[in-house]
Amino acid sequence: SFTDVHALQILDSRGYPTLRVTLTSKDGTIATASAPSGASTGAHEAVELRDGGQAYSGRGVSKAVDGINAEIRQLLLSQSWSAQRGVDEALCDLDGTAEKSRLGANTVVAVSMASARAFAAHSRHPLHAWIAHTLGKAERLPVPHFNVLNGGAHAANPLAFQEFMIAPTGAPTLAEGIRWGSEIYHALSAKLRRKGLSTGLGDEGGYAPEISRPEEALDLITAAIVDAGYTLGLEGVSIALDPAANYFYHDGTYVFNGRSFTPTQMTGYYQKLITDYPIRSLEDPLAEDDPHGWPELTAALGQRVQVVGDDLFVTNPDRVREGISTGAANAVLIKPNQIGTVTETLDTLSVADRGGFAAMVSHRSGETEDTFVADLAVGAGCGQLKSGAPARGERVAKYNRLLEIADASPTMPYGLVLTEGGRTRD
Ligand code: PGA
Ligand code: ZN
């Protein structure tokens, strides 16, 4: 049982306020967690509680801090809790809204993650092992998906696509994969400088050069992979894209590169990209409110690449269930703060698993030094984590946590899990 609950307003990686929660348990363990925050959010995500007003452009979280230190403290100290699900259900009941807008999804997720850490500590297991046990899955070190080139809502450049990731799918170990990522990141920096392009960074630590065409970004990245001495493709280094297509979708049309595309033309465009470049994963290739485009794209490309719903599914088990039945994608992005509790996040992972969907665990563009998602990716056994570039403290905190887990568990497997649709299940 908990003996104290305390919240604090801290800063995230964009310099905006967020929450840190500390739970103290009767056995003396102290569990802490911090809430991340997205910039290119889906319309169906759980809703953050922000103060409004002048301070911090309205983004303060003092109301959320007060809610934790009063209402939530009272709830958590009122009884002894035997399981995470009980805590999470009580938090949802206390909030009372479908989208967690009264207490705020930032509030609820920070408390829920800290509680999961407390339960893990109580069970005397590392967080990743507690998650694996809760899910009934085998632990696995995920392939890090390094976002080395940023555009869209995460950068000030004219590039429409949001994320260009490199994935060391062919690396023999996690540590080697991290080395490959770092070396390619630096090779890309050298390439940009040689071409007179900016090496300034976007929100997730990737470069944000003044380019506009996705093909230019892909040419730079594939050249950097080769410059660093690695091969292109699943046996070497693969590419994953998150166009985050909501951002350039208006009234049924996708607009970028000075051209307009229908949903069917977008599928044709991606078909060419995956033929020309070693792309293994497409996240949010279409907008969340393009319900017919998704099944059409997945039917056309889903045998060749992983099609991941992020803004489409918002880590919501009901939306993933719906996506499985309509064939809208073949994979789901997992971000705990999109849905609000650890239990619902694990439920979404289970729904995906039973429906034959792959899963990729993810940070947010606004992050802290909290490493929860690294343990989540290991415990889910899903084989994929995206946490931004192999640089910047809040990004490498997650990759460094993976290195720490790998170091402590030398026999833990590393790599993708290949699924029928998404070309991965071993
Ligand atoms: P966000 O972006 O954290 O800004 O929402 C990440 C993503 O779209 O995957
Ligand atoms: Zn995304």
Side-chain angles (χ1 to χ4, degrees), residues 162-163 242 283-284 310 333 335 386:
Q162 182 177 280
E163 299 173 22
D242 179 5
E283 176 185 330
D284 285 352
D310 169 17
L333 200 75
K335 294 167 166 169
K386 68 167 196 174

Side-chain angles (χ1 to χ4, degrees), residues 14 37-41 45 154 162-163 204 242 244 283-284 310-311 333 335 362-366 386:
R14 270 192 284 257
S37 179
S40 74
T41 51
E45 289 193 28
H154 295 165
Q162 182 177 280
E163 299 173 22
E204 298 192 347
D242 179 5
E283 176 185 330
D284 285 352
D310 169 17
D311 292 339
L333 200 75
K335 294 167 166 169
S362 171
H363 66 155
R364 299 303 305 245
S365 54
K386 68 167 196 174

Side-chain angles (χ1 to χ4, degrees), residues 106-196:
N106 44 350
T107 307
V108 174
V109 83
V111 174
S112 181
M113 293 193 308
S115 164
R117 283 206 169 99
F119 278 109
H122 189 69
S123 75
R124 300 187 184 284
H125 283 106
L127 181 60
H128 56 87
W130 177 85
I131 289 170
H133 184 258
T134 305
L135 279 170
K137 296 287 291 182
E139 295 178 85
R140 188 175 196 88
L141 292 160
V143 174
H145 284 61
F146 300 110
N147 182 5
V148 294
L149 207 149
N150 297 182
H154 295 165
N157 59 11
L159 186 60
F161 284 18
Q162 182 177 280
E163 299 173 22
F164 293 80
M165 293 170 270
I166 53 167
T169 42
T173 62
L174 172 80
E176 275 292 288
I178 300 259
R179 172 187 158 192
W180 296 13
S182 164
E183 290 176 359
I184 295 162
Y185 181 73
H186 293 109
L188 180 58
S189 165
K191 182 142 238 85
L192 292 169
R193 272 183 274 122
R194 276 200 302 277
K195 290 185 173 286

Side-chain angles (χ1 to χ4, degrees), residues 2-243:
F2 299 117
T3 54
D4 196 20
V5 178
H6 185 71
L8 180 69
Q9 175 171 292
I10 60 168
L11 292 179
D12 73 12
S13 58
R14 270 192 284 257
Y16 286 125
T18 191
L19 290 162
R20 175 177 295 162
V21 175
T22 302
L23 299 181
T24 309
S25 299
K26 204 163 149 199
D27 61 10
T29 56
I30 291 175
T32 298
S34 302
S37 179
S40 74
T41 51
H44 302 279
E45 289 193 28
V47 175
E48 293 179 336
L49 183 64
R50 299 277 178 186
D51 293 342
Q54 289 268 295
Y56 291 113
S57 315
R59 299 181 63 86
V61 293
S62 63
K63 287 178 190 162
V65 166
D66 293 347
I68 293 170
N69 291 340
E71 254 187 289
I72 291 179
R73 183 174 192 280
Q74 197 175 13
L75 171 75
L76 292 185
L77 267 49
S78 70
Q79 58 171 282
S80 90
W81 304 89
S82 59
Q84 180 68 24
R85 187 172 291 272
V87 171
D88 286 338
E89 285 175 359
L91 287 169
C92 291
D93 288 349
L94 182 67
D95 173 74
T97 69
E99 58 301 318
K100 302 182 176 69
S101 55
R102 193 181 75 79
L103 294 169
N106 44 350
T107 307
V108 174
V109 83
V111 174
S112 181
M113 293 193 308
S115 164
R117 283 206 169 99
F119 278 109
H122 189 69
S123 75
R124 300 187 184 284
H125 283 106
L127 181 60
H128 56 87
W130 177 85
I131 289 170
H133 184 258
T134 305
L135 279 170
K137 296 287 291 182
E139 295 178 85
R140 188 175 196 88
L141 292 160
V143 174
H145 284 61
F146 300 110
N147 182 5
V148 294
L149 207 149
N150 297 182
H154 295 165
N157 59 11
L159 186 60
F161 284 18
Q162 182 177 280
E163 299 173 22
F164 293 80
M165 293 170 270
I166 53 167
T169 42
T173 62
L174 172 80
E176 275 292 288
I178 300 259
R179 172 187 158 192
W180 296 13
S182 164
E183 290 176 359
I184 295 162
Y185 181 73
H186 293 109
L188 180 58
S189 165
K191 182 142 238 85
L192 292 169
R193 272 183 274 122
R194 276 200 302 277
K195 290 185 173 286
L197 289 164
S198 162
T199 53
L201 303 180
D203 285 0
E204 298 192 347
Y207 302 109
E210 293 281 310
I211 57 174
S212 60
R213 295 174 60 247
E215 292 85 347
E216 281 176 88
L218 289 163
D219 287 338
L220 286 163
I221 291 167
T222 48
I225 294 170
V226 172
D227 282 357
Y230 299 102
T231 56
L232 301 172
L234 279 180
E235 306 301 310
V237 179
S238 318
I239 292 175
L241 298 182
D242 179 5

